[in-house]
């Protein structure tokens, strides 16, 4: 699976520590749900093969960072859930 | 003629060559957006997408009002009507409030009703408009309907909305907007959700009313513009009324005390300017829609899209109304759409000393002020719809020193590219007036320049002879 996240700087991404992130789905099984946002608790790595899923990174004006991260999602909740 | 709905309007566009049916399947994920963007940049016909990937049964209409030809058709004029003619008809139709909107028991927008847990915004083919956008923008050519809880005053406004999940949208609801003012002043302090309805695909005059800065409540303005009462139906879950023939209606609540990141998005000045930032959250509790629905959408970018065209057109004419109400000797006002509604051109009938400054002060002090930065004041003999004439007037009539007045630390918009990030965030900006009129105290015999043109410098009989013989000289007629 592939996901995407927006950050102002790469340093904001808390690599190798479980954290809560707001990400969007790029390859859901139902294609109509592409770009749906969800809050997840996850581990991320700068090494793209370390965790099972890919996490693409965009900056705040939409520019895509060329090198994806990897992500392991522990659990998922709704975007507006506390 | 008034169009009952968006569909009748599109049929009229087909007849004038200003609409086109696209039977080939298109992808909602960027392809549709790219087509519409190209249409805007080429001034092409409005495409009705009849087959959308993943969304059988749904259709989409791009760039419905992105040209003056389509605006002319929407107002019942021939497609070839000039901007001046369209302006005069618009002013005339909206000189006085129209008939009161008519509440009807039901309408086509109720043909399908989805409420509660069944609501799923992903059942609608919201496009991914531009690459890198923060999400799918369901609402780019629409109106958000709301009501002031104290005065019951209704507002229709166009505030973009991005899909977050099945029930949630997010968008900038700025305190300078009418609905934003009510939400931030009357609901948020009480931590009370504010009811809203997003209407997508209303009839063209209702859409124009929602995009315009209008002097009355938009439903009354829309009725004035169409000459007939707008038919409204009650919403299913909120105490609001919406146009009965709309394609899609989303009902719900604007949530206080909750924000989510929104954007980035390609914006009306033709840039992606504002950052992705926490913005207002909309919870959707019901969706109603027509059979075989059409989702209209605009694509903001470099000129000309309907955001630029309609905002420029209507802001300019509202400015004309404001100036006339002040008794200023204004002839015409025009905001060129290619200025991304940043430039107001005003022609004045008589040059009173410093009339340009008086005009600028009246406009900079009006509620239209956040949306534009430059006022160019020219004499009435300049055709303000002819940008070459306007540039000539600026370059020959405006003194680079005393003709340009700058207003520092004024107000501005979050999407303005030339403002710093801090200015955008704080809604601050600057303004300038270009006085292109010649000082009235200049001696006509010695100091006042005489314009040299075919119109002004030849005797009537010579001009008539030249025009009559034009073809005989060998020129094409």
């Amino acid at each position: 699976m592939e996901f995407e996240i927006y950050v102002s700087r790469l340093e904001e991404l808390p690599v190798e520590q479980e954290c809560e992130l707001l990400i969007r789905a790029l390859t859901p099984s139902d294609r109509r749900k592409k770009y749906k946002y969800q809050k997840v608790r996850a581990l991320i790595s700068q090494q793209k093969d370390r965790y099972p899923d890919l996490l693409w990174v965009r900056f705040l004006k939409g520019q895509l960072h060329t090198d994806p991260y990897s992500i392991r999602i522990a659990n998922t909740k709704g975007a507006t859930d506390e | 003629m008034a169009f009952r709905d968006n569909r009748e309007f599109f049929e009229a566009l087909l007849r004038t060559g200003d609409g086109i049916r696209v039977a080939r399947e298109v992808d909602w994920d960027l392809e549709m957006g790219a087509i519409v963007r190209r249409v805007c940049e080429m001034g092409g016909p409005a495409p009705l997408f009849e087959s959308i990937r993943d969304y059988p049964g749904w259709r989409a209409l791009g760039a419905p009002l992105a040209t003056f030809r389509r605006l002319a058709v929407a107002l019942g004029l021939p497609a070839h009507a000039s901007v001046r003619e369209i302006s005069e008809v618009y002013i005339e139709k909206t000189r006085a409030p129209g008939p009161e909107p008519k509440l009807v028991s039901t309408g086509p927008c109720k043909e399908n009703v989805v409420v509660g847990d069944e609501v799923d915004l992903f059942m609608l083919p919201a496009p991914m408009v531009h690459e890198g956008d923060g999400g799918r923008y369901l609402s780019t050519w629409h109106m958000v309907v709301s009501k002031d809880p104290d005065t019951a005053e209704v507002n229709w406004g166009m505030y973009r909305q991005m899909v977050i999940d099945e029930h949630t949208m997010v968008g900038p609801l700025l305190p300078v907007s009418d609905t934003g003012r009510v939400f931030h002043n009357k609901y948020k302090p009480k931590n009370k959700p504010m009811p809203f309805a997003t209407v997508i695909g209303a009839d063209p005059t209702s859409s124009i009313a929602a995009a315009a800065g209008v002097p009355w409540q938009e439903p009354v303005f829309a009725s004035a513009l169409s000459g007939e009462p707008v038919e409204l139906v009650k919403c299913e879950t909120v105490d609001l009324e919406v146009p009965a023939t709309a394609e899609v209606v989303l009902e719900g609540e604007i949530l206080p005390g909750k924000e989510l990141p929104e954007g980035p998005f390609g914006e009306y000045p033709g840039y992606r300017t504002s950052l992705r930032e926490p913005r207002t959250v909309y919870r959707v509790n019901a969706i109603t829609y027509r059979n075989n629905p059409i989702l209209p959408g605009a694509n903001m970018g470099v000129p000309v899209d309907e955001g630029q065209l309609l905002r420029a057109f209507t802001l300019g004419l509202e400015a004309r109304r404001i100036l006339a109400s002040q008794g200023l000797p204004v002839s015409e006002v025009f905001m060129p759409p290619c200025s991304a509604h940043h430039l107001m051109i005003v022609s004045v009938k008589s040059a009173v000393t410093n009339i340009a400054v008086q005009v600028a002060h009246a406009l900079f002090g009006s509620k239209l002020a956040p949306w534009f930065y430059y006022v160019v004041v020219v004499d009435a003999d300049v055709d303000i719809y002819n940008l070459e004439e306007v540039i000539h007037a600026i370059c020959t009539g405006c003194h680079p020193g005393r003709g340009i007045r700058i207003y520092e630390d004024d107000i501005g918009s979050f999407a303005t590219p030339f403002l710093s990030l801090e200015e955008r965030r704080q809604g601050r900006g600057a303004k300038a007036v270009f006085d292109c009129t010649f000082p009235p105290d200049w001696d006509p015999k010695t100091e006042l320049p005489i314009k040299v043109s075919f119109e002004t410098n030849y005797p009537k009989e010579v001009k008539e002879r030249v025009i009559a013989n034009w073809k005989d000289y060998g020129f094409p007629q």
Side-chain angles (χ1 to χ4, degrees):
Chain A
M1 300 274 279
E2 297 185 29
F3 300 92
E4 201 162 48
I5 190 166
Y6 282 81
V7 295
S8 55
R9 298 184 315 278
L10 291 177
E11 296 72 38
E12 275 176 25
L13 289 169
V15 290
E16 306 299 356
Q17 48 182 300
E18 193 171 292
C19 56
E20 189 172 88
L21 303 168
L22 182 69
I23 61 173
R24 64 183 189 183
L26 295 184
T27 54
S29 53
D30 178 354
R31 192 174 180 273
R32 294 182 311 163
K33 306 236 165 173
K34 188 175 177 185
Y35 304 114
K36 175 185 166 180
Y37 279 92
Q38 53 199 326
K39 266 187 196 156
V40 296
R41 284 207 72 78
L43 278 168
I44 60 174
S45 168
Q46 219 163 349
Q47 298 167 36
K48 71 172 189 180
D49 301 322
R50 180 162 168 84
Y51 295 127
D53 297 319
L54 276 185
L55 180 68
W56 292 92
V57 180
R58 284 186 187 270
F59 299 104
L60 297 188
K61 284 216 166 57
Q63 312 96 310
L64 183 66
H65 180 58
T66 45
D67 303 319
Y69 286 50
S70 63
I71 183 168
R72 180 159 68 211
I73 295 172
N75 63 58
T76 299
K77 54 184 179 178
T80 54
D81 293 344
E82 297 301 330
Chain B
M1 67 172 285
F3 295 105
R4 191 166 174 268
D5 61 17
N6 209 34
R7 301 179 185 201
E8 284 185 5
F9 173 55
F10 181 72
E11 291 300 321
L13 293 182
L14 283 178
R15 288 194 293 274
T16 60
D18 293 285
I20 184 174
R21 293 183 187 278
V22 179
R24 181 192 174 112
E25 184 184 82
V26 295
D27 197 336
W28 57 267
D29 190 6
L30 293 177
E31 184 183 4
M32 223 156 69
I35 295 168
V36 177
R37 184 93 289 280
R38 195 153 193 257
V39 162
C40 290
E41 292 176 22
M42 296 173 74
L48 178 71
F49 301 109
E50 297 184 312
S51 174
I52 304 171
R53 185 175 174 191
D54 303 322
Y55 290 95
W58 283 83
R59 297 176 291 167
L61 176 63
L65 274 164
T67 63
F68 278 115
R69 284 180 61 86
R70 298 207 268 282
L71 178 58
V73 173
L75 295 178
L77 293 167
H80 57 74
S82 69
V83 182
R84 178 172 280 115
E85 288 167 331
I86 303 169
S87 301
E88 294 310 319
V89 165
Y90 181 93
I91 286 281
E92 193 49 44
K93 279 174 179 271
T94 57
R95 202 171 287 286
E100 281 296 317
K102 190 167 136 195
L103 191 63
V104 295
S105 59
T106 191
C109 72
K110 302 288 188 184
E111 285 168 350
N112 301 274
V113 178
V114 181
V115 293
D117 290 343
E118 301 300 309
V119 166
D120 181 358
L121 292 171
F122 294 105
M123 63 182 272
L124 310 170
M128 188 63 167
V129 180
H130 318 94
E131 200 273 337
D133 280 353
R136 296 169 65 176
Y137 278 82
L138 191 49
S139 311
T140 54
W141 187 245
H142 65 297
M143 60 175 83
V144 177
V145 178
S146 64
K147 201 185 277 186
D148 186 308
D150 300 325
T151 64
E153 193 169 313
V154 171
N155 182 252
W156 293 355
M158 239 177 230
Y159 316 114
R160 74 187 191 212
Q161 293 168 323
M162 180 185 106
V163 177
I164 288 283
D165 62 21
E166 286 84 349
H167 297 268
T168 316
M169 302 186 294
V170 64
L173 192 59
L174 305 178
V176 294
S177 69
D178 289 328
T179 298
R181 213 171 2 251
V182 172
F183 175 66
H184 291 285
N185 292 329
K186 301 193 175 182
Y187 282 93
K188 217 169 153 183
K190 295 178 183 167
N191 200 30
K192 225 174 126 185
M194 177 174 171
F196 81 94
T198 296
V199 175
I200 309 175
D203 61 278
T205 45
S206 292
S207 299
I208 293 168
V214 301
W216 318 305
Q217 292 183 46
E218 286 81 2
V220 176
F221 192 86
S223 297
L225 210 47
S226 72
E228 293 170 17
V230 177
E231 293 193 346
L232 303 175
V233 288
K234 283 189 173 299
C235 286
E236 300 293 307
T237 60
V238 287
D239 180 24
L240 293 169
E241 290 88 41
V242 293
T245 61
E247 295 287 341
V248 179
V249 180
L250 314 173
E251 303 175 11
E253 295 171 319
I254 307 174
L255 303 182
K258 200 174 268 295
E259 290 185 322
L260 285 170
E262 186 262 357
F265 186 61
E267 286 150 340
Y268 69 83
Y271 290 87
R272 191 175 271 156
T273 309
S274 57
L275 296 177
R276 177 179 174 84
E277 288 193 302
R279 297 211 170 94
T280 305
V281 174
Y282 300 78
R283 166 71 55 164
V284 179
N285 299 321
I287 302 175
T288 72
Y289 60 97
R290 293 180 67 156
N291 291 335
N292 203 12
I294 301 172
L295 193 78
N299 183 326
M300 283 63 153
V302 298
V304 177
D305 57 63
E306 44 271 278
Q308 293 149 349
L309 185 131
L310 268 178
R311 288 289 285 172
F313 177 77
T314 58
L315 287 177
L317 295 180
E318 288 314 316
R320 177 169 151 184
R321 258 194 262 266
I322 288 169
L323 295 171
S325 75
Q326 304 280 310
L328 294 173
V330 166
S331 177
E332 292 179 303
V333 182
F334 178 52
M335 271 191 145
C338 63
S339 76
H341 61 74
H342 286 176
L343 171 68
M344 193 84 82
I345 306 169
V346 181
S347 61
V348 291
K349 288 171 193 156
S350 67
V352 179
T353 303
N354 271 345
I355 185 66
V357 172
Q358 206 179 350
V359 164
H361 286 178
L363 295 176
F364 294 157
S366 75
K367 84 179 252 195
L368 313 178
W371 307 112
F372 68 96
Y373 298 93
Y374 306 105
V375 172
V376 170
V377 180
V378 298
D379 283 315
D381 65 344
V382 176
D383 178 359
I384 61 171
Y385 297 102
N386 180 337
L387 293 186
E388 288 208 357
E389 274 198 37
V390 173
I391 289 171
H392 179 256
I394 293 171
C395 297
T396 57
C398 182
H399 190 287
R402 60 176 183 271
I404 301 171
R405 188 180 284 218
I406 311 287
Y407 299 80
E408 298 281 6
D409 204 20
D410 208 288
I411 53 175
S413 152
F414 76 109
T416 304
F418 59 70
L419 296 177
S420 71
L421 190 56
E422 212 44 44
E423 286 174 314
R424 287 178 219 152
R425 280 188 170 135
Q426 296 174 0
R428 289 194 293 119
K431 304 221 187 283
V433 55
F434 294 76
D435 182 357
C436 309
T437 63
F438 293 117
D441 56 347
W442 279 6
D443 181 359
K445 292 191 184 66
T446 58
E447 202 167 16
L448 188 68
I450 304 282
K451 189 184 261 187
V452 179
S453 71
F454 176 77
E455 188 55 39
T456 58
N457 285 84
Y458 297 91
K460 185 167 175 278
E461 60 89 10
V462 173
K463 286 193 287 189
E464 285 173 356
R465 188 166 72 235
V466 167
I467 290 170
N469 293 336
W470 196 248
K471 202 173 170 191
D472 289 343
Y473 298 140
F475 296 106
Q477 196 64 290

